[in-house]
Amino acid sequence: ETGVTQSPTHLIKTRGQQVTLRCSSQSGHNTVSWYQQALGQGPQFIFQYYREEENGRGNFPPRFSGLQFPNYSSELNVNALELDDSALYLCASSLTSEQYFGPGTRLTVT
Amino acid sequence: GQNIDQPTEMTATEGAIVQINCTYQTSGFNGLFWYQQHAGEAPTFLSYNVLDGLEEKGRFSSFLSRSKGYSYLLLKELQMKDSASYLCAVREGNNDMRFGAGTRLTVKP
């Protein structure tokens, strides 16, 4: 157990819809990173938040957006869902270099 | 762009030693990480190298050569529970973390 929680565990959405995924970081961790992991692949970096500001972004379109709250929890929002967005979405919290991953949200887009 | 290459699959015997290699190309290196991921679970942190050399942590060690763009993860005294995917990841200066596709290790009795 890493102390990082994510909700929901599983989610099914229809193409074109919008989705919000949530992450609670480990106590005291001020940095949250989000990743997309397709089956059989390594995680792909979406973006990172540090003290409520975006602090790095991977190669994802603007319809992937996020927020970090004063308690360092975070949300990932995806608009205009596409079939290829079906994946495991992982968040990881950190204070130093070591990242602690949550269990992930499995998103299926139909 | 940045490539991270690691073998797709490896097999080893319980009690043996296995070395998983990772080569990378990056424009702004800021650390190399190894993670373990069991099927259906989230990755767990194993090691972090930012300077050249060997970092040892119990049965696991990780080596880095920045000039060669090369790292390896060494697992000693293999146990059945070590069967998992091992992910190599490189962090760039802009905090972008790039993961390899992972090496699936199978430990056999």
Side-chain angles (χ1 to χ4, degrees):
Chain A
E1 295 294 327
T2 63
V4 180
T5 60
Q6 292 185 243
S7 62
T9 307
H10 296 86
L11 197 55
I12 300 174
K13 288 285 192 178
T14 303
R15 189 172 48 184
Q17 287 187 314
Q18 177 266 343
V19 70
T20 298
L21 310 182
R22 295 178 174 82
C23 172
S24 290
S25 59
Q26 188 176 111
S27 178
H29 285 190
N30 55 19
T31 304
V32 173
S33 302
W34 285 92
Y35 298 86
Q36 179 194 69
Q37 186 174 25
L39 202 60
Q41 298 296 315
Q44 300 294 310
F45 176 71
I46 303 174
F47 43 58
Q48 180 184 89
Y49 278 82
Y50 170 69
R51 293 189 174 186
E52 303 178 59
E53 297 286 331
E54 187 177 288
N55 189 41
R57 189 178 182 94
N59 191 26
F60 279 79
R63 60 189 184 83
F64 285 78
S65 63
L67 281 174
Q68 188 178 30
F69 300 99
N71 66 355
Y72 302 136
S73 66
S74 178
E75 286 183 354
L76 165 65
N77 299 290
V78 187
N79 293 324
L81 282 167
E82 300 176 0
L83 297 179
D84 285 349
D85 295 334
S86 294
L88 179 68
Y89 288 84
L90 296 162
C91 80
S93 77
S94 58
L95 184 60
T96 58
S97 297
E98 187 171 335
Q99 289 192 337
Y100 295 85
F101 281 85
T105 295
R106 173 74 60 187
L107 173 66
T108 302
V109 182
T110 63
Chain B
Q2 175 179 319
N3 295 325
I4 299 177
D5 295 310
Q6 51 182 131
T8 304
E9 293 190 15
M10 297 183 71
T11 302
T13 305
E14 192 176 14
I17 298 173
V18 70
Q19 177 174 314
I20 303 174
N21 296 323
C22 172
T23 58
Y24 65 89
Q25 298 171 331
T26 178
S27 54
F29 180 83
N30 193 22
L32 186 137
F33 300 77
W34 284 95
Y35 288 84
Q36 180 191 62
Q37 187 174 27
H38 286 99
E41 298 182 12
T44 56
F45 172 84
L46 290 178
S47 69
Y48 167 61
N49 295 69
V50 67
L51 299 176
D52 290 353
L54 188 68
E55 293 283 339
E56 296 187 80
K57 212 176 187 181
R59 293 190 299 116
F60 294 3
S61 303
S62 58
F63 172 82
L64 174 67
S65 168
R66 288 171 296 170
S67 62
K68 296 181 179 177
Y70 169 69
S71 173
Y72 67 72
L73 179 70
L74 194 71
L75 293 76
K76 302 176 185 175
E77 301 169 14
L78 279 172
Q79 302 175 9
M80 299 298 290
K81 67 178 181 179
D82 296 331
S83 292
S85 285
Y86 291 86
L87 301 164
C88 172
V90 174
R91 184 171 62 194
E92 294 196 305
N94 62 353
N95 293 317
D96 187 352
M97 282 278 284
R98 301 295 184 104
F99 281 79
T103 298
R104 186 159 53 210
L105 174 67
T106 302
V107 180
K108 296 188 173 180

